[in-house]
Amino acid sequence: MSESGPERTPDGHFVVIDGRRWRATDPAIPEDRQAELRSILMAWRRDVRRTGGAPESRAGVQAAKVALGERGTPWWEQSDDERRRRWEARVPRPGDVGTDD
């Protein structure tokens, strides 16, 4: 994220938005993969709205946020290999669920 992004805690683990702490995206994720995962996350959020919060849509949001390091085991507690496996894991887009690549 650019230096003009949200305020971060001194350890860099959290961003502060409107006085509330949120876990920061794993900074080790390559920019192109971060952009792809953010795009997938936003597609799932739109799907949550469209479906009225269907469990499959909420699971898609969860999967994208875990891949970004914003949920699940904190990225700063994972080894480099664990972090890489997390962000490289396939996260489907809405409509791709149940299909194999």
Side-chain angles (χ1 to χ4, degrees), residues 5-9 14-23:
E7 174 189 351
R8 285 185 172 259
T9 57
F14 299 90
V15 294
V16 180
I17 300 171
D18 295 329
R20 189 166 177 190
R21 285 185 344 157
W22 300 91
R23 192 182 307 172

Side-chain angles (χ1 to χ4, degrees), residues 8-76:
R8 285 185 172 259
T9 57
D11 59 12
H13 297 168
F14 299 90
V15 294
V16 180
I17 300 171
D18 295 329
R20 189 166 177 190
R21 285 185 344 157
W22 300 91
R23 192 182 307 172
T25 298
D26 184 344
I29 302 173
E31 273 302 315
D32 59 333
R33 181 60 175 159
Q34 271 192 44
E36 179 182 17
L37 289 170
R38 276 191 235 106
S39 173
I40 292 168
L41 173 60
M42 297 313 294
W44 279 115
R45 285 181 170 164
R46 286 188 298 274
D47 204 61
V48 166
R49 190 175 330 117
R50 183 185 63 78
T51 64
E56 303 81 30
S57 301
R58 292 189 181 277
V61 168
Q62 176 71 9
K65 291 194 72 71
V66 167
L68 285 162
E70 297 175 6
R71 291 188 184 159
T73 303
W75 49 262
W76 55 91

